[in-house]
């Protein structure tokens, strides 16, 4: 059985778990339910030495795990998937308590995470199959691109989707043959611990997946612990710190950061469908999604109808309670940011058609529809990460595209209308949903990631599996040729022959014919 939770250093040796909290002599971290203030559980604060020890154990595990065949790893990961599926309600309940979202949303999150684990497990063999590539002029060679595990991957996750988001790195890194050390957010550590405990019962190689808990310092220690890649999901500000720390050891990084996702609604869009999707895209998870709709640009002729419909739909959204659509915000700090954005907008002339800066009770925020917003307002520039829907009237789709792209971020986006597919290609973002919102995150074969201040690198799909490998180029000489360019034994007229080849292949005249011939030969 695999060891999962890292024993903390110091006077005690108790392991981290919600049911068996460590002795008070060890520094601990309490997980507090944002909806009620109750203590959900406690985990140890792992020191830099603890993190290094975990990475050392992962290094040992990675040798055995990486040596398994794809079919063997698939079998192992499918066992873990089944264990997680069996525990779906327990996991959803834990997500609900630690993160504040409704239980149903917790279940949906588990479902989405499992779809990615399943995809990564089954797909890795195909995604990482070695490829023969063209040898060009080196006709006596065979050329292959192959993909190999990196070794140990560090994963640092956020609190907003505490299973789905890190699973985008964990599942794909494991399927590619790496061991993983996971640092969950200090706000949702127990979900991370549970995820890894279930892996321990399912995976036959100890320490393939371990969890280290604590606050930012534990994450910072993971950056410096000698991992072969660090997959970070979180805010742009912290991402820059992580990158700087990783730069000291040239540790490669994957950056899944924040966003300011635009939605465009063209004149010929289905207004009702677009409004309903906008409300879901902006409000699901109380707006705490990196791919939340954060700005909406609507064509003038349909603007009034769209706004009316959005307001009507928002009126049906229930906040809090067992049957609520929106739960508590996960962090009171984030509540402060949302309030600040709303106050800034109203002060600068925006109108709140629902909600508003005063419609906040503790960690519960009533959704706000904002109109008369302008580009200099915080709510239009910075990531709000809360239940706010700013709507802007535009004269044309050209204006909508231009303003959608006027942001340093570039994560998700959505376009509604008859020409939406065409417009989608013009949005400067890693992902776009056409006549829908957020759908790209649920399609397991699609790569997920951003550009600009939203980060770089990709999780999910074949790109996501390859992200956790090193690409290897192999040139294999199959037979010798009289003129071997990789040797000093060249004929006297070598220079003339090279000159001739340059002219023939790359000069004017014969170029097209020669290249055509090589192409036909498959070279
Ligand atoms: P943070 O950046 O605050 O934290 C992310 C993780 O980094 C946490 O585990 C945190 O630990 C850890 N951390 C904090 N400081 C350091 C440090 N110096 N070195 C290493 N690790 C550190 O993000 P949030 O948790 O607030 O998550 C919300 C953000 O995540 C939003 O901006 C959202 O857009 C983004 N996000 C991006 C996604 C994407 O795929 N692009 C998906 C989901 C969210 P601790 O919590 O213990 O401080």
């Amino acid at each position: 059985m695999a060891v999962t939770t890292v024993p903390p250093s110091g006077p005690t040796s108790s392991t981290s778990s919600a049911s068996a909290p460590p002795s008070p002599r060890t520094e601990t971290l309490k997980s507090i339910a944002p909806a009620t203030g109750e203590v959900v559980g406690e985990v140890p604060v792992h020191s830099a030495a603890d993190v290094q020890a975990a990475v050392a154990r992962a290094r040992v595990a990675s040798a055995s795990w990486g040596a398994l065949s794809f079919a063997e790893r698939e079998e192992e990961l499918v066992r873990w998937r089944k264990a997680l599926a069996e525990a779906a309600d327990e996991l959803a309940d834990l997500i609900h308590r630690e993160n504040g979202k409704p239980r149903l949303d917790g279940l949906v999150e588990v479902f989405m995470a499992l779809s990615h684990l399943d995809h990564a497990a089954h797909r890795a063999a195909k995604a990482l199959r070695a490829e023969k590539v063209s040898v060009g002029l080196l006709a006596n060679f065979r050329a292959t691109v192959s993909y190999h595990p990196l070794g140990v991957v560090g994963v640092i996750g956020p609190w907003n989707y505490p299973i789905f988001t890190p699973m985008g790195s964990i599942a794909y890194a494991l399927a590619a043959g790496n061991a993983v050390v996971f640092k969950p957010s200090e706000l949702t550590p127990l979900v991370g611990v549970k995820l890894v405990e279930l892996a321990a019962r399912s995976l036959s190689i100890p320490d393939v997946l371990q969890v280290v808990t604590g606050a930012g310092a534990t994450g910072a220690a993971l950056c410096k612990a000698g991992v072969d890649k660090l997959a970070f999901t979180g805010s742009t500000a912290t991402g820059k710190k992580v990158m700087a720390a990783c730069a000291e050891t040239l540790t490669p990084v994957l950056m899944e950061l924040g966003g300011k996702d635009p939605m465009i609604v063209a004149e010929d869009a289905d207004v009702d469908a677009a409004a309903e999707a906008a409300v879901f895209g902006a409000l699901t998870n109380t707006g705490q999604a990196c791919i939340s709709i954060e700005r909406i640009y609507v064509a003038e002729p349909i603007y009034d109808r769209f706004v009316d419909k959005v307001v009507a739909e928002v009126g049906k959204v229930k906040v809090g309670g067992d049957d609520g659509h929106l739960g508590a915000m996960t962090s009171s700090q984030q509540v402060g940011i949302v309030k600040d954005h709303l106050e800034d907008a109203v002060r600068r002339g925006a109108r709140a058609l629902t909600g508003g800066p005063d419609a906040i009770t503790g960690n519960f925020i009533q959704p706000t529809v904002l109109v008369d917003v302008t580009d200099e307002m915080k709510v239009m520039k910075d990531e709000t990460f809360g239940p706010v829907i700013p709507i802007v009237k535009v004269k044309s789709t050209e204006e909508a595209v231009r303003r959608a792209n006027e942001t340093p971020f570039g994560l998700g986006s959505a376009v509604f209308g008859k020409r939406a597919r065409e417009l989608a290609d013009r949005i400067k973002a890693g992902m776009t949903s056409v006549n829908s919102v957020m759908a790209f995150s649920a399609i397991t074969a699609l790569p997920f990631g951003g550009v600009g201040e939203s980060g770089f690198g990709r999780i999910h799909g074949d790109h996501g599996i390859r992200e956790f490998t090193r690409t290897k180029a192999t040139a294999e000489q199959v037979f010798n040729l009289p003129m071997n360019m990789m040797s000093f034994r060249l004929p006297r007229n070598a220079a003339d022959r090279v000159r001739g080849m340059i002219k023939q292949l790359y000069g004017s005249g014969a170029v097209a014919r020669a290249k055509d011939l090589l192409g036909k030969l498959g070279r």
Side-chain angles (χ1 to χ4, degrees), residues 8 33 151 158 211 278 285 290 403 417 433 444 484 489 491 493 497-498 511:
V211 62
N285 213 36
C290 53
R403 292 178 73 175
S433 286
T444 52
N484 183 353
R489 276 191 294 109
N493 64 346
R497 288 169 74 170
V498 174
V511 170

Side-chain angles (χ1 to χ4, degrees), residues 444-470:
T444 52
L446 279 178
F448 186 104
V451 298
E453 296 247 325
S454 293
F456 50 83
R458 294 293 181 266
I459 53 173
H460 301 175
D462 288 1
H463 292 74
I465 300 175
R466 288 183 186 165
E467 189 74 43
F468 297 105
T469 61
R470 63 186 160 85

Side-chain angles (χ1 to χ4, degrees), residues 156-160 165 183-187 214-216 219-220 223 232-236 238-239 241-242 256-259 289-290 383 385 411 448 454 459:
I156 298 180
W159 44 259
N160 60 338
T165 294
K183 151 70 177 76
S185 164
E186 68 187 290
L187 299 181
C223 299
F232 175 81
T233 307
S235 63
T236 302
T238 310
K241 286 189 208 161
V242 166
E256 295 291 349
L257 308 176
C290 53
E383 189 180 40
F385 224 55
L411 194 57
F448 186 104
S454 293
I459 53 173

Side-chain angles (χ1 to χ4, degrees), residues 319-345:
V319 179
D322 284 343
D323 59 345
H325 301 101
L326 309 186
M329 295 286 286
T330 309
S331 95
S332 47
Q333 198 189 343
Q334 196 62 43
V335 173
I337 294 171
V338 176
K339 190 172 172 57
D340 175 50
H341 281 204
L342 290 174
E343 284 172 348
D344 172 76

Side-chain angles (χ1 to χ4, degrees), residues 196-502:
V196 175
E197 270 176 10
L198 290 167
R201 294 190 211 146
S202 317
L203 307 178
S204 63
I205 296 172
D207 301 321
V208 165
L209 177 59
Q210 297 172 80
V211 62
V212 289
T213 47
T218 307
L222 186 55
C223 299
K224 298 185 177 189
V227 294
D228 299 294
K229 184 157 196 169
L230 198 293
F232 175 81
T233 307
S235 63
T236 302
T238 310
K240 288 177 184 175
K241 286 189 208 161
V242 166
M243 238 179 119
C246 288
E248 285 176 25
T249 46
L250 270 187
T251 301
V253 289
L254 163 76
M255 288 283 142
E256 295 291 349
L257 308 176
K260 191 71 196 168
D261 290 8
M263 172 171 170
I264 294 176
V265 188
E267 189 178 338
D268 56 7
D270 177 336
V271 173
D272 287 354
E276 201 181 325
V279 170
F280 180 84
L283 301 186
T284 186
N285 213 36
T286 327
Q288 302 167 113
C290 53
I291 52 168
S292 286
I293 297 297
E294 292 234 343
R295 304 171 283 153
I296 307 182
Y297 300 97
V298 187
E300 200 167 15
I302 56 161
Y303 174 83
D304 288 340
R305 248 190 328 130
F306 179 82
V307 171
D308 288 349
K309 181 70 182 170
V310 166
V311 168
E313 288 297 321
V314 168
K316 298 177 199 162
V317 173
K318 181 167 184 267
V319 179
D322 284 343
D323 59 345
H325 301 101
L326 309 186
M329 295 286 286
T330 309
S331 95
S332 47
Q333 198 189 343
Q334 196 62 43
V335 173
I337 294 171
V338 176
K339 190 172 172 57
D340 175 50
H341 281 204
L342 290 174
E343 284 172 348
D344 172 76
V346 170
R347 198 169 44 241
R348 290 170 190 262
R351 279 185 300 130
L353 302 184
T354 66
D358 298 327
I360 299 176
T361 314
N363 285 342
F364 291 90
I365 304 183
Q366 294 298 327
T368 298
V369 178
L370 279 180
V371 293
D372 300 342
V373 286
T374 53
D375 290 346
E376 68 275 9
M377 293 175 184
K378 289 181 185 176
V379 81
M380 292 300 287
K381 287 191 307 195
D382 304 333
E383 189 180 40
T384 305
F385 224 55
V388 180
I389 313 179
I391 310 178
V392 181
K393 189 193 293 182
V394 288
K395 292 213 165 355
S396 64
T397 42
E398 283 307 309
E399 180 189 346
V401 170
R402 179 176 55 74
R403 292 178 73 175
N405 285 339
E406 277 172 357
T407 172
F409 293 105
L411 194 57
S413 48
V415 189
F416 280 73
K418 297 213 162 62
R419 283 174 49 230
R421 177 63 192 84
E422 196 185 308
L423 292 175
D425 285 341
R426 296 174 54 200
I427 306 290
K428 182 176 64 79
M431 302 157 294
T432 303
S433 286
V434 172
N435 295 326
S436 173
V437 288
M438 298 174 155
F440 44 76
S441 64
I443 298 175
T444 52
L446 279 178
F448 186 104
V451 298
E453 296 247 325
S454 293
F456 50 83
R458 294 293 181 266
I459 53 173
H460 301 175
D462 288 1
H463 292 74
I465 300 175
R466 288 183 186 165
E467 189 74 43
F468 297 105
T469 61
R470 63 186 160 85
T471 304
K472 174 74 168 278
T474 306
E476 180 186 359
Q477 183 167 296
V478 188
F479 56 90
N480 217 337
L481 285 179
M483 183 168 146
N484 183 353
M485 305 263 277
M486 313 301 161
S487 161
F488 291 119
R489 276 191 294 109
L490 292 172
R492 276 174 189 278
N493 64 346
D496 289 340
R497 288 169 74 170
V498 174
R499 252 180 235 114
M501 279 161 66
I502 289 173

